Amino acid sequence: MDNSGKLHIAFIGLGLIGGSIAKGFRRQNLPVQIYAYARHQETLQAALADGTVDEILDSAADERLALCDYIFLCTPVADAVLYMSRICPLMKPGCILTDVGSTKTEIHHAAETLGITDRFIGGHPMAGSEKSGYAYSTDHLVENAYYVLTPAGSVPPDQVERFARLIRMLGAIVLILDYERHDYVVAVISHLPHIIASSLVNLVRDSDDEQQTMKTVAAGGFKDITRIASSSPVMWQQICLTNARHIGTVLQDYIDSLNRTLRSVREQAGDPLYRLFDEAREYRDAIPEASMGPLKKDYAVYCDIVDESGAIATIATILATHQINIKNIGILHNREFEEGVLRVDFYDQESADQAAAWLTKFQYRLYKR
């Protein structure tokens, strides 16, 4: 913070996450000077033109980094580690260096090697989108999302709290964890589900017949529980490689649980099978809906429709008239509802809520899932 009380914040990398955090600070009308460096000049020029960024840095080792109170590394982990070594000599006393990667062990080890455990706070905003790049960044991406902080061992507690207050200004829910604990947690609730979803999809593919009967009827619940299998294979390959130890542990635990279930099925043991489904139902129903976690959420409305010409077009027209953008729309042929159901997907919760309100006003019957 300079003599005028203005914070100086730099972003190394300005894609979806970095751009959204920078825009979030702008929305708060904070007294802040924002610097940015990115590989693509068109990204930087766009951020300069829309007022998100005040100054463009010439490199990741620009001397203006010495002015900064906070430096955000918003690049893949391998790049972030490389940039850290260039940035360290420029950091002024009290400056906090942070990142936004989804795994933390590798970057914390780099911080230890570089001797900056007194000024590095790992960060993982548990938010995202199917689309990437600055063009899709928003000033509210991390609102109501968990934002995990993993302070290195020597960071003073008051510095951690100061940084946590800054992140809370974005509307995020701050959770402070040890970096090893973080990587184990995300291995269980994010990385393992992606592996399971991809494995399940491949099992269906390998089990299907020549007529592709399974693919034809694989709708409704199956598509919901395997949606995350559509994620980037390159990204998930890198996540598995950078969190291999924890993923290996939880994957083995899951295999053991499947083997127990396999024994129950083969032995027709009713009580263990009942407990499996009952305990899962009870725990799953207790998971809060209000906050976002690391798995991207679907924003969908399920609407009862009559099987007649123009039914879908009428709904699409209602939504378009009220400027509600539709991501996807289609009838559930293999469905779990009483009647014919149209599923309409949206890009965010606000759009889904607005759509539900208008469709209800027009006397459409909506279903909850």
Side-chain angles (χ1 to χ4, degrees):
M1 186 178 294
D2 60 23
N3 293 332
S4 67
K6 179 179 287 188
L7 286 173
H8 292 253
I9 302 176
F11 290 85
I12 308 300
L14 202 67
L16 175 72
I17 300 297
S20 294
I21 294 172
K23 288 180 177 180
F25 289 140
R26 277 285 178 239
R27 188 179 68 163
Q28 296 302 317
N29 293 318
L30 298 173
V32 61
Q33 182 82 0
I34 294 181
Y35 309 87
Y37 167 76
R39 290 179 178 176
H40 302 294
Q41 275 298 313
E42 57 268 28
T43 295
L44 295 171
Q45 292 300 327
L48 191 66
D50 68 21
T52 299
V53 168
D54 295 300
E55 296 185 40
I56 293 174
L57 299 176
D58 296 326
S59 71
D62 191 293
E63 291 183 357
R64 282 169 288 182
L65 291 174
L67 302 172
C68 292
D69 302 288
Y70 301 98
I71 301 173
F72 285 78
L73 292 169
C74 302
T75 66
V77 173
D79 293 336
V81 169
L82 177 64
Y83 288 137
M84 285 175 76
S85 61
R86 302 177 187 175
I87 292 169
C88 288
L90 299 169
M91 293 171 63
K92 70 178 183 180
C95 175
I96 292 296
L97 179 64
T98 187
D99 78 315
V100 297
S102 59
T103 59
K104 303 264 67 86
T105 299
E106 186 174 337
I107 199 160
H108 270 272
H109 287 173
E112 292 165 6
T113 300
L114 292 168
I116 56 169
T117 56
D118 61 335
R119 67 195 86 169
F120 179 72
I121 300 177
H124 179 195
M126 292 186 172
S129 168
E130 290 87 353
K131 298 183 179 181
S132 60
Y134 180 79
Y136 298 102
S137 61
T138 71
D139 62 9
H140 56 275
L141 185 72
V142 301
E143 271 190 354
N144 297 316
Y146 286 105
Y147 197 123
V148 179
L149 302 182
T150 59
S154 304
V155 181
D158 63 316
Q159 293 280 66
V160 175
E161 179 52 33
R162 177 165 63 92
F163 184 55
R165 284 199 303 270
L166 183 71
I167 297 302
R168 290 189 189 103
M169 290 180 183
L170 301 172
I173 304 167
V174 172
L175 185 62
I176 298 176
L177 295 175
D178 170 81
Y179 72 87
E180 289 273 10
R181 181 61 181 168
H182 166 274
D183 281 5
Y184 178 74
V185 167
V186 293
V188 176
I189 51 93
S190 177
H191 304 166
L192 180 63
H194 278 83
I195 293 171
I196 293 170
S198 297
S199 299
L200 180 56
V201 170
N202 288 339
L203 175 64
V204 170
R205 180 202 62 196
D206 296 340
S207 304
D208 212 350
D209 53 29
E210 291 183 359
Q211 291 73 36
Q212 295 192 322
T213 305
M214 293 184 182
K215 184 177 182 180
T216 301
V217 301
F222 181 82
K223 289 199 73 175
D224 286 344
I225 65 173
T226 59
R227 172 179 50 84
I228 54 178
S230 297
S231 301
S232 164
V234 173
M235 180 181 73
W236 282 99
Q237 176 199 50
Q238 293 302 309
I239 285 174
C240 287
L241 294 176
T242 57
N243 201 21
R245 179 165 60 89
H246 293 299
I247 291 175
T249 297
V250 300
L251 189 55
Q252 184 60 61
D253 290 343
Y254 183 65
I255 291 170
D256 293 342
S257 73
L258 286 179
N259 282 327
R260 289 192 295 271
T261 301
L262 176 61
R263 286 196 299 271
S264 297
V265 170
R266 285 178 169 169
E267 296 169 5
Q268 296 193 336
D271 288 345
L273 290 172
Y274 178 84
R275 285 196 299 274
L276 167 70
F277 297 114
D278 184 55
E279 291 172 0
R281 174 190 56 79
E282 184 175 316
Y283 187 81
R284 197 272 183 192
D285 288 350
I287 296 174
E289 294 285 349
S291 301
M292 295 185 292
L295 299 184
K296 296 180 182 67
K297 184 178 178 180
D298 268 341
Y299 305 106
V301 170
Y302 298 85
C303 180
D304 184 16
I305 61 169
V306 178
D307 185 10
E308 63 183 20
S309 177
I312 296 178
T314 300
I315 290 177
T317 300
I318 291 171
L319 300 179
T321 301
H322 295 94
Q323 299 181 326
I324 301 172
N325 292 327
I326 297 173
K327 179 180 177 183
N328 197 14
I329 188 168
I331 295 175
L332 299 185
H333 295 287
N334 181 2
R335 51 185 177 257
E336 303 145 25
F337 304 96
E338 298 174 1
E339 307 293 342
V341 168
L342 184 75
R343 171 172 171 152
V344 190
D345 292 287
F346 303 92
Y347 289 100
D348 52 50
Q349 188 64 57
E350 182 180 1
S351 297
D353 291 342
Q354 289 177 356
W358 280 110
L359 292 175
T360 300
K361 188 173 181 178
F362 279 87
Q363 306 301 311
Y364 283 95
R365 179 183 178 188
L366 304 184
Y367 293 95
K368 292 184 177 181
R369 293 196 63 181

